[in-house]
Amino acid sequence: MSDKSLIPRERAGRDVDEAVTHYINEHTVQAALGFVDSLENAYAHIGRYPGTGSSRFAHELDLPELRTWPLTRFPYLVFYVERKDHVDVWRVLHTRRDIPALMQEPAG
């Protein structure tokens, strides 16, 4: 089995930028770097084992292929869909946000 590449959507990139900015402004640069490391580890896991993510929100949002994977030590979930040749990363959201509402936001 070979790792699949992850392709974050534009909105997922903005989610990450917002989280990093939050950690820099509210905590420390070290916390922001820890977040990025945790995200990179999550992406590596997802690329290697995309089927292991939780399907909890798939049922809630009626998106059968949707999976999530948590970041270690940070309250964020990576939302993604496995495709034949890659993993489509939809969002990276804080667990205390209104996830169903945020997942309904238009792309862009």
Side-chain angles (χ1 to χ4, degrees):
M1 166 176 50
S2 63
D3 293 0
K4 290 188 174 185
S5 62
L6 274 73
I7 302 175
R9 292 184 177 198
E10 182 181 335
R11 189 60 187 114
R14 287 198 312 258
D15 292 337
V16 171
D17 290 346
E18 289 169 8
V20 168
T21 299
H22 166 77
Y23 282 111
I24 290 170
N25 291 339
E26 300 296 324
H27 302 285
T28 64
V29 171
Q30 198 62 28
L33 293 172
F35 172 82
V36 171
D37 286 344
S38 185
L39 180 64
E40 288 175 351
N41 289 336
Y43 278 6
H45 176 88
I46 293 166
R48 182 161 288 155
Y49 308 107
T52 60
S54 170
S55 60
R56 172 185 165 213
F57 287 99
H59 303 296
E60 205 172 308
L61 298 168
D62 197 26
L63 297 167
E65 302 89 19
L66 185 69
R67 299 238 178 231
T68 61
W69 189 257
L71 271 63
T72 303
R73 298 183 352 254
F74 292 87
Y76 282 81
L77 295 171
V78 177
F79 290 80
Y80 66 94
V81 173
E82 181 180 7
R83 305 292 186 201
K84 182 178 178 183
D85 59 347
H86 70 281
V87 175
D88 183 9
V89 178
W90 286 21
R91 301 292 302 261
V92 178
L93 297 173
H94 193 285
T95 57
R96 291 196 176 183
R97 307 261 328 257
D98 184 351
I99 289 173
L102 291 170
M103 291 298 292
Q104 299 300 324
E105 286 181 356

